[in-house]
Amino acid sequence: MASCINFIYFVSVFQRLPQRGSIGPRFFDSLANSSLLKRCKKKLVNLADFHHNASKRATASAQHSPDTPSDDTDSHSASDDEAVTEQGEGPALEKTKFQTSAEFHQRLVKLYQTFILWIDEPRLHEASLYLPALPPQYDADKLLKILHNEQTIWSEFIDVDRIEYENAQFVSLWIKESKATHYGDLRRPSLLSVPDPDTIESRIMSRLNHYEEPKEAPGIVASKAPVPEITMETLNNSNAMLGELDCDLKTLVEYAGLFNNREANHIAVDCNFMDILPDLYYHKPVEVSLQIPCKSNFNPNHVCGGPATTILRYREMTLNSINARKIDENREEYKQLIQDSMSPPPMAVCSGAVHLENAITALIQCVRDKSLEERKRLPAYQTGVELFYNLAAESDDDIRHYPPTRQFFSTCLEILGQEFIRDAPEQSTTLLSVLLEKPVLAGQLAQNFVPNACSESFADMYDQVARLPPEESDLAFMLLTKFDVTKWLKESKPTLSLRSKLAISIGSALCRCGKKPAEKILMLFEMYRSHLQLILMYQFPDHYGDVLRILLQGSEKSQMSADCWNDLLKSLGCTYNRHEGADMDQQRIKCLIQTQSLLSKDQIKETIEWLTTYFSKLRVSSVDVARFGLYANWRPYIKPLSNFLGFLSQTYIVKEAERVISIGIGIEQAIDQLWSVTCELFTPWIVTIETLTTTGSQLVSPWLEGDSCLATDMVALFTESVMCLQVQFKDILPHYTRDALSLFWPYYVNVLSHKGVVDHILRVYHARFIVLPWAQFYPRLDAVELMLKLHEESSGSCFIFLGCIFPQMNWVEIVEHYARNETPEVASRLHVALLLLCIMFAKEKTLITTNVEMQTLLSKAESFQWAYVDSNSFENIIQWQLNHCDPDSVLSQRRGMEDRGLSLLRAAGGFGQDITISADTPRKRCMYIRCVVQMICKCSHSKEIKTESFKMAITDLMHDIESTACAAVDTNAMVPELIDMLVEVLNLLNNCAPSGRAIEIVERTVIEWIGSNPSSVLILPCITAACRTLASLTHMAIMVEACMDAYFNSGLDLSQFGGWSGILEKLQVPQLTHEEFLEECMKTGSYLTLYTYILQQLPACQSLNDELKVLSKLVNWTLAAKPGQDSESKLLLWWAKAMELCVRQVNFGAPHQYVIKALNTLAPTLNTMGEDKASAGLLGAIGLGRRSALSLRFRLVCRSFLSFILAQIPGNSFLRTQPHAPAAISKRHRAPLPNQPDVYPTPRALQALASLEALHNNKQYAGLRDSAYLASAFVSDPANSLKDATKLIALLANNLYPDKHYLAILRTELYK
C-alpha cells in the first residue's frame, strides 16, 4: 500500500508546467511545507530499511527450513493471520503464517531507494531534463511514466501471492460458517449465522400488539382547483379575459420586482463589504523598551556598568473593531438575503403562470385549423390579439430581468404572435408602433413583423424605422431586415409617388448616418445604400433625378457619405478611372465609347446643364462659399464627384464628336459648343471669381491652399476633358484652326491665370495642364501674343509653365509656315514675339538648367529667319534684356546654358553663318554689341564678380566682329560698320567701373586680342574707333599704339610707303586735346602714334618754320622718351624724320644755327642712351651706375648716330651738308686744316667715334661687330654728310632690326 501512495505522491510532485519544469519544488519552497519534504524522505528511508531487513530474514528462514513457513512475522502478517471473532462467538479463523519472498522485499528496497534519489536531485524538476542521460539507479523508465502522468499500476510491487493466499483463507472461513449450526446461549451468534424465521414473526407481532387501535379514515372534502378554468365566454370576451388574467399578471410582475430588489440588495451588501474590507486593519504605533546586556568577548576583566536600554518604535497591524463589527453585520445580512433568495416562489405565482398558459392554450385551440379569414371573424381571435399586446405592455424591466418570467413571457409572446399577429397584414403598423415604443421587446416581437404584407403602408413604415435615432441602430437594422424592397417592387408594383417617397426616406436616413458612419451603424448604412440602388435601377430613369438630387442636397450639407456617390456611378455604369499623366489616346477613347452607360447623350447633356446651374448658383450662394470655395463643404465627395463630372463631359464629347464627324458638317461649331459646355461644367470648381463686398470687388479663389489635393482631382478631370476634345478632333481640321488647345490657351491666359490668382491655385493648374498634348498645338499669332501677355500680366509661375510646354510645340514648322504662307508683316510680328519669348525663357535659369527640350529649342532658334525682326523691335528686345536679365550671364562660356539668351540675340543680331542680310542688319549688330558691352559694364560695378572673367566675353565680341567682316564680300564697304561695332566695344573703357581692375582687364584683353590677331581686318578700323570713342587719352594712346604694332606684325604687303599710308588714313588725333594726347603718347611709349602724327602734320606745314617746329617736337620727344627694349627701335623713325627735316632746312636756306642747335640738343640724349651704364648720379660719375635697360643693338645705333651727327658739326657755325665737305672725321683729316683753323672735328665727335670704335673689341658686342665696323666706316667716310644721316639710320635699321616691319619706310633710303 505504501508503494501506491508514493506513486500518487510523485505523480503530483513531478507534474509539469509548460516550459517551466515541475511544480513540486515550488510547493516545498515555503517554510510551512519545507519540513514535509524531510519527513517524506525519512519515511522512505525507514521503508527501505524495513524491507532490507525483511529480505534478510526471509533469506535466512528459507535457508533454515525451505519447506516450512517461518515463525517470523512482519507487519503484513501480524494482523492478517488471526481469525475474526465477535465477542468470543463462532469459530476463529485458522491461524496460519505466510512468508513474503526475499525477491519481493528487494524489489521494494530498490524502488524506495530510487524514490530517495528522486527527492534529493532537484535537477529532475527542470524543463531541460534529458532522461536517457540519467544513471541506471534513477530508473528513467519509471520516471518517464511519472512525468507523463500514466496511471498504470506497477503490478511488480504488489504481493500477489499473499493476496491469493488471504482470499483462499477467507473463502474457506465463509464455507465453514455457512454450514455451522446454532451455538448455545452461552455463545454469541456469528455475524454470518442466519436467524430463526419463527422467532422474527413472533417478535414483530408482539411489538404490534402494544400500539393503539387504528381510527377510521376521514371523510372526502371537495377541494377548490388551484388554477381556475377558462370558460368559452371568457375566450370570446377580450375584456373579460384581460380582467381575469390581470391579477395573475400583477402577481408575476410583483414577484419579478421582488427578485430584482433582492438582487439589488445583494449587490449593495457585497459592495459595502468590499468598501469596508480594506479598512479592517490599521497600523498602530508601538514603542517597546529593550534591555541589552553587556557581554564582552575581548576583555574578560571588563566591568559592565549595566545593560543598555534601547527603545524600539514600529507600527503594528491592529484589528479595527468598528469595521470588524460592520463586517459581521454585513455578512449576517448577506446570509439572510441568500436564505430569502433560495426560498421557493409563492403558490400564487405558480398558479398565475399556469392560468395564463391555460388561457393561451385555449385561445389557440379555438382558432387553430381555420383559415385567416375565418379566424378574424372569431371573437377569440381578437381576444388573442389583445392579449398579445397586453403581455407586451406588461413586459417591463423587472419581467425581463428575472429569468423565469423572461422565459415565460417570451414563450407566450412568441406563441401568440405566431397564431394571431404574423399572418395579419393590418397588424404590421400596430406592431411597428409597439416596437418603436418598446425597443427592448424587438427581439421577441420583431419575428412577427412582416411589412411586405401591407404594401400601401410600406413606405410609411420604412420612414418610421429610418427616423430612429443612431442609438437605436440595432433596432432599426433588425426591422429593416424585414423590409424586402426587391419583393415589394416586383410584386406590389408601387406607384411612382410611393417609390419617390421611399427614395426620399432612404435619402434622409443616409443623411442621418453622416458622411462617415460610425462602426455600429455601418451595417444599417449598407442596407440603406442597397435599397437606394434598388429604387434607382427600378424602371430607370424614373428616379435618376430624385437620387441625384438627394445626393447633392445631402452632400451640400456634408451629411451624405461618399460611398453613395460611388454607388450612383457604379449603377450608371460609370467605371471611369483617371490615369495620372497618361495621354488620352484613341484606345482610351474607344474604351470610353464602348462603356455601357445607362444614360443617353441627351440625358448626359441634361445632367451636365443641371449640374452646371446647380454648382454655379451654389458657388455664389453665400459669402462663406464664395470665400472658401466649394471644396470646404464638398471635401469628402470630390473624388467620386470629379469622376462623375469627368465621365459626363468626356462621354458627351465622344458621342457628340462621333455624330458630328460622321456627318462632316459644323465641326468648328461643335468644337465651340463642346468647349463651352466643358468650361461651364468645371467653372465653379476651378475658376477664380470676382465678388462684390462692402469695400468693393474682390477676387476669391476656388479653393483654399489646404484643399489643393482635392482640387487636383477636379483640375485633372478638366484637363482630361480638354485632352479628350483635342484628341477626338485630331487630324479632322487643318492646323492653325480652331481646336481644343487653341480654345484652351486664351481661356488659360484670360480666365485662369490673370493677376490676382494665388500661387497655390496656379500650382495645381500647372501640374495638370502640362500633360496636355502641346505637341499638337499650332498657335496663331494672337495666341503667341497672348504668351507675351502672360509674362506681363500674370504670375511668374505661369511663365515658367509656359516655358515647360513651349518646347513641345513644333516651332520649326510653325516659323516655316508663317514665313511661307503669311504676309511679311505677320511673319515679322511672329518672329518678334517669338524672339522676345525665347529671350525671356533664357532668363529663367531654373527653366534652362532643368529643361533639356528648352535648351534644344533655343539652339534651333538660332537658325530661324531673324531677318524678319526689324531694328526697332530688336532694340526693344535688347532693352528688355538689359533691364531684366542678370548681367553676369554675359560672362559664361559661349553656348553655355546661361548664355542661351545672348547666343540667340547674337544670331538675331546678324552674327553667325548662313544669315540673311537686311538693311537693318548693321544696326542690329551694333545693338547686340552695345548690349553685351553694357552688361559687362554692369558686371564691373559688382564686387562679387571677378574681372578676370571679362576676357572671354570681350574676346567673343572681337571674334564676332571679325567673322562678320571676313564673311563680307566687300570688306572696304564694311569699314564704317566695323568702326561702329568697335566703337561699342571700346566703350567698355569709358563705362566700366573706374575702381578695381575692370578697365585694366578690358584694355589688356583688347590689346592681347589685337596682338594675337595681327592680320585681322579690325586693326585699322580699331585705330579710328579708339580715336573716336575713348575718353581717356591714355587708353587712346595705348590702344592706337597696340593697333599699329599689330598692323606692322601682320605680314601684309608694306611696299606702299612702308605700310604707313593705311595708318595715316585711320589715325584721328583729337583736335581739342591733341597736345594732351601727344603727352599721353609720350608717357605711354606710343612712339609709332607720335610718328604717325608727325607724318600727318608735315603735309600741313606751309613754311620752314612750321617744319622747324616739327623738328623741335621730334628732338624734344627724344629728350623726354624713356624707351624700353620693345619700343627702342621706334625712335629710329623719329631720328630719320628729324634728319630729313634738318636736310630740308639746309636745302631751303634756313640758318644752319637752327639745325646745329637741334643736333646739339639731340646729342646728349643719344650719348646717354648709348652708354652701357648710367652716368647720372654719384655712382654713375665713378663708373658704378646702373646697367642700361636698352638693348645692345639700340646702344650701337645711338653711338653710331651720335658719332655721325657730331662729325657733321665741326664748328659752332659750320655744318657738313655736302660730300667731302671740310672737317670730315676721317683718319686723315682728324687734325684741323691750316687754311681753316676754326673748322675741325670737335673733341666730342672724336670721342664719340672712339667710343664707337671701342665696340669693335668689346666682347659684349661680339655679335654686333660687323654692324659696328659698318657704322664706324660710314661715320669716317668723308663722302657722307648730313644728307646721308637717314641713310645711316636705314642701314642700321636694316642690319640690326630686320624684324621691325614699321622700319620698312627707312629701307627705301637704301634704294635711292
Side-chain angles (χ1 to χ4, degrees), residues 76 107 135 175 353 357 515 565 676 805 834 878 911 983 992:
H76 295 283
R107 285 199 301 270
I175 293 174
E357 184 177 355
K515 58 184 178 182
W565 282 98
S676 176
I805 65 174
L834 181 59
I878 289 290
F911 293 98
V983 164
C992 282

Side-chain angles (χ1 to χ4, degrees), residues 1100-1143:
C1101 292
Q1102 299 180 358
S1103 63
L1104 291 177
N1105 289 332
D1106 293 339
E1107 291 186 357
L1108 183 61
K1109 291 179 181 179
V1110 173
L1111 175 60
S1112 299
K1113 283 186 177 181
L1114 289 172
V1115 172
N1116 292 333
W1117 288 349
T1118 302
L1119 296 178
K1122 296 180 179 179
Q1125 292 188 12
D1126 56 342
S1127 61
E1128 58 187 20
S1129 59
K1130 300 176 183 179
L1131 297 185
L1132 274 65
L1133 295 172
W1134 291 0
W1135 299 341
K1137 186 57 65 177
M1139 293 300 101
E1140 183 181 347
L1141 292 176
C1142 289
V1143 172

Side-chain angles (χ1 to χ4, degrees), residues 1012-1033:
S1012 61
N1013 297 273
S1015 301
S1016 174
V1017 297
L1018 304 183
I1019 301 299
L1020 294 180
C1022 188
I1023 295 175
T1024 304
C1027 294
R1028 290 181 183 179
T1029 306
L1030 297 177
S1032 172
L1033 298 177

Side-chain angles (χ1 to χ4, degrees), residues 29 70 78 141 174 242 364 400 472 488 507 737 858 874 921 935 1304:
D29 283 343
S70 174
D141 294 336
W174 182 80
L242 296 179
I364 293 174
R400 291 188 298 276
E472 297 182 8
W488 179 63
T737 56
L858 293 180
F874 189 73
T921 300
M935 295 177 73

